[in-house]
Structure formats: C-alpha cells, structure tokens
Amino acid sequence: MSKEEIMKNAMEEFRKIQKYMLLARKEKAAETYAELKEEYLILKALLNNLGVNLTDIDKIKE
C-alpha cells in the first residue's frame, strides 16, 4: 500500500470517527466516546506522522 493510499484511508476513518464521537458526545454515551477517542488518537498520530495538517479538519480538538 502506498503512502497516498494509507493517508486516504486514514483520513476517511478519521472523518468517520469524528462523526461518531460528536454523536456519542451529544447522546452522553461516555463509554462509547472513550472507545472512539482511542481510535481517534491513533489516527491523529498517524496522520500527523504522514504530514497531514489537521488544523482545519479536526472537529474534536483534543
């Protein structure tokens, strides 16, 4: 898998995770939010390592 494919897949997953985190926060689903946050942090670290600027796309800001 190329760097570009990894980046594309990670960005898609990052978008999905953020959507579900915001929904879990709205529904006050603390356990669900905590599980999603673990995935969010891993994806955020991967995207940062790949050089993706998350400033504009990170809706969670944690």
Side-chain angles (χ1 to χ4, degrees):
M1 190 177 275
S2 71
K3 179 180 177 181
E4 289 79 18
E5 290 172 317
I6 293 169
M7 190 181 301
K8 181 181 179 280
N9 289 341
M11 289 192 66
E12 288 173 1
E13 288 300 312
F14 190 72
R15 181 189 59 80
K16 286 181 199 175
I17 292 292
Q18 286 192 97
K19 182 175 98 173
Y20 295 133
M21 286 177 76
L22 292 169
L23 184 59
R25 183 188 290 165
K26 180 180 175 184
E27 293 177 348
K28 298 183 181 6
E31 289 182 45
T32 301
Y33 186 89
E35 287 295 319
L36 290 165
K37 185 175 178 181
E38 287 183 37
E39 288 296 315
Y40 161 83
L41 292 173
I42 291 167
L43 287 167
K44 189 172 182 176
L46 173 62
L47 289 167
N48 277 323
N49 191 34
L50 290 169
V52 175
N53 182 349
L54 298 173
T55 303
D56 292 332
I57 63 172
D58 188 358
K59 297 175 184 175
I60 305 299
K61 309 283 189 221
E62 288 187 16

